[in-house]
Amino acid sequence: MSDRNRFEVVIVGAGIAGSSLAHFLAERGLTDVLLLERETQPGYHATGRSAASLVELDPNLTVQALKVLGGRFLRNPPEGFSENLVLRQWPIMFLYRDPMPQTMSDSIALLEREKIPVTVLSKSEAVARVPVLLPESFGGAVLLPEGGRIDVHELLSSYLRNARKLGVRVRVGAEVRGIRVENGRCAGVITADGEIGARMVVDAAGAWAGKVSALIGAAPIKLEPRRRTIIVFAGPDGMDFGRWPFVVSDPDHLYFTPESGGLLLSPMDEVPLEPCDAHPDDLIIAQALERLRKLAPQMVPHTIQRKWAGLRTFSPDGVVVVGEDPLVKGFFWLAGQAGYGIESSAAVSQIAADLIVYGKTERFDPALLAPSRFLKN
């Protein structure tokens, strides 16, 4: 096997997870890395279809801690990291029905400890920010004034550009069809163009991560891809909605925000699907508009300008899986980012890079993310 087909690390998947890991590995001096992507361009699936925002309030405190760490990078990336801003500050407003859920109270407390601005709003204060909301449809709101909208293209491009500059190689149109094992250890991948040897193979394949792990008989962690739909439509006539916050209503299973002169809305659907090129379901959209009618009837559009869908992949407990497989040495998990993979990418991939390069990390408790957590019972 020639040198070009032998690398220290092969990363399977060039979405936000694989690309950010390549960047942080190279930053730590590990540049003998190959990033493989089955599609013709990086970020084709979940990464390229996300309405990515920095939303640091989350009912799962482990996930929230990862978002907070990721947010620090997005707000203050290293000098020269990107050519344009990767994060534009934009307020995030969560609606809740009385009483405030305990998980939300716990999340607010964590944000306060991290000195991230957060304010509890009355109904009238929330309606003042988004006048189309029906006051009787919710109990109150929580505002994160320093949340933000992420430029996904700029973030992904910056990770890739910096990784390439340091020597990382990227191959597109390269589907992994098998994984080579030597003496019980992962030793590389098999593609249509031949074998590629590696000391470590990283599974960052997004919705296909479960299929990749099955190729080698890794720990049986059930990863479930779920569809998430987004639509864009014109805003209410005669209303200045361009500065509305990003509004999330978990009770109504909706979020919406200004987008390209109109409004973007998601039904927050989580329909399990096999890995695929996901497409929106008109019934899901119709049901979402009926829920929107009860929350903000003036917003309900007559026509939809654009619609699309992507797959987000969930682990059994909703927390990303990061670490070497407990059954197969040399096989490393970086999968199950659910809907927070972009905003937490800098945190999760720095943790992963630490573990690969140094064998440990001081950034986070790796046991909370380790694949071995699913084998304890």
Side-chain angles (χ1 to χ4, degrees):
M1 184 176 293
S2 67
D3 288 343
R4 67 178 294 117
N5 283 325
R6 175 83 197 179
F7 296 83
E8 272 291 293
V9 177
V10 169
I11 303 171
V12 182
I16 201 73
S19 298
S20 57
L21 176 61
H23 165 81
F24 289 115
L25 286 174
E27 188 181 69
R28 284 155 177 73
L30 180 50
T31 60
D32 188 23
V33 175
L34 175 65
L35 185 58
L36 292 178
E37 172 55 49
R38 68 191 294 271
E39 304 296 347
T40 57
Q41 65 186 50
Y44 176 79
H45 288 284
T47 299
R49 306 179 193 195
S50 172
S53 297
L54 177 60
V55 182
E56 292 158 302
L57 189 146
D58 197 283
N60 186 310
L61 296 185
T62 299
V63 171
Q64 184 177 16
L66 292 171
K67 290 181 175 185
V68 169
L69 286 175
R72 290 176 186 167
F73 181 94
L74 294 172
R75 289 192 178 96
N76 189 28
E79 185 176 353
F81 170 75
S82 61
E83 297 176 347
N84 301 290
L85 285 175
V86 295
L87 181 73
R88 179 167 54 112
Q89 185 170 310
W90 200 269
I92 312 293
M93 189 168 76
F94 288 82
L95 306 180
Y96 64 86
R97 296 198 179 120
D98 286 327
M100 178 187 289
Q102 184 60 47
T103 53
M104 184 172 282
S105 298
D106 294 341
S107 182
I108 291 171
L110 187 151
L111 293 177
E112 290 174 338
R113 289 195 297 273
E114 295 290 340
K115 302 195 180 327
I116 294 174
V118 57
T119 304
V120 178
L121 303 178
S122 66
K123 289 200 288 186
S124 60
E125 289 171 325
V127 171
R129 286 168 170 80
V130 183
V132 293
L133 295 173
L134 291 181
E136 61 269 26
S137 66
F138 67 102
V142 175
L143 184 73
L144 277 62
E146 295 183 7
R149 300 295 304 276
I150 301 169
D151 186 332
V152 180
H153 175 75
E154 183 68 26
L155 183 61
L156 180 68
S157 298
S158 299
Y159 283 140
L160 288 167
R161 182 178 59 254
N162 289 302
R164 283 180 166 127
K165 190 184 301 182
L166 292 171
V168 171
R169 297 190 185 184
V170 181
R171 294 182 191 171
V172 298
E175 182 176 4
V176 171
R177 298 180 177 180
I179 299 181
R180 192 157 61 86
V181 178
E182 288 181 0
N183 301 318
R185 180 183 175 88
C186 181
V189 298
I190 302 167
T191 72
D193 296 324
E195 295 186 3
I196 304 168
R199 178 182 65 84
M200 180 166 285
V201 172
V202 178
D203 184 359
W208 283 263
K211 292 189 177 297
V212 170
S213 67
L215 293 173
I216 197 172
I221 301 171
K222 181 175 173 50
L223 296 177
E224 185 174 72
R226 302 175 190 171
R227 185 183 59 215
R228 172 56 57 94
T229 303
I230 294 174
I231 62 174
V232 175
F233 52 88
D237 291 336
M239 188 168 289
D240 182 11
F241 53 83
R243 298 300 301 173
W244 286 359
F246 186 109
V247 179
V248 183
S249 178
D250 279 329
D252 297 292
H253 299 289
L254 294 171
Y255 69 69
F256 61 86
T257 188
E259 173 73 17
S260 304
L263 290 168
L264 176 154
L265 178 140
S266 173
M268 295 173 63
D269 46 324
E270 294 185 359
V271 179
L273 291 177
E274 284 296 306
C276 65
D277 190 350
H279 297 281
D281 183 316
D282 288 340
L283 177 59
I284 293 293
I285 293 172
Q287 292 171 340
L289 294 180
E290 282 306 304
R291 297 197 301 275
L292 180 63
R293 192 180 305 278
K294 296 176 183 178
L295 176 66
Q298 284 181 269
M299 273 184 61
V300 178
H302 297 295
T303 59
I304 295 171
Q305 296 172 344
R306 288 188 293 142
K307 58 184 177 180
W308 68 90
L311 296 180
R312 310 180 313 155
T313 304
F314 291 75
S315 73
D317 61 8
V319 177
V320 63
V321 186
V322 182
E324 190 171 31
D325 188 81
L327 304 181
V328 183
K329 296 301 180 185
F331 184 81
F332 193 96
W333 292 79
L334 184 58
Q337 289 87 349
Y340 55 91
I342 295 171
E343 61 195 307
S344 68
S345 60
V348 171
S349 287
Q350 289 197 74
I351 293 165
D354 285 350
L355 294 173
I356 291 170
V357 176
Y358 310 125
K360 62 180 181 179
T361 184
E362 304 298 326
R363 299 173 189 277
F364 205 82
D365 180 358
L368 296 174
L369 313 179
S372 57
R373 73 186 189 265
F374 297 109
L375 302 184
K376 290 180 179 179
N377 296 325

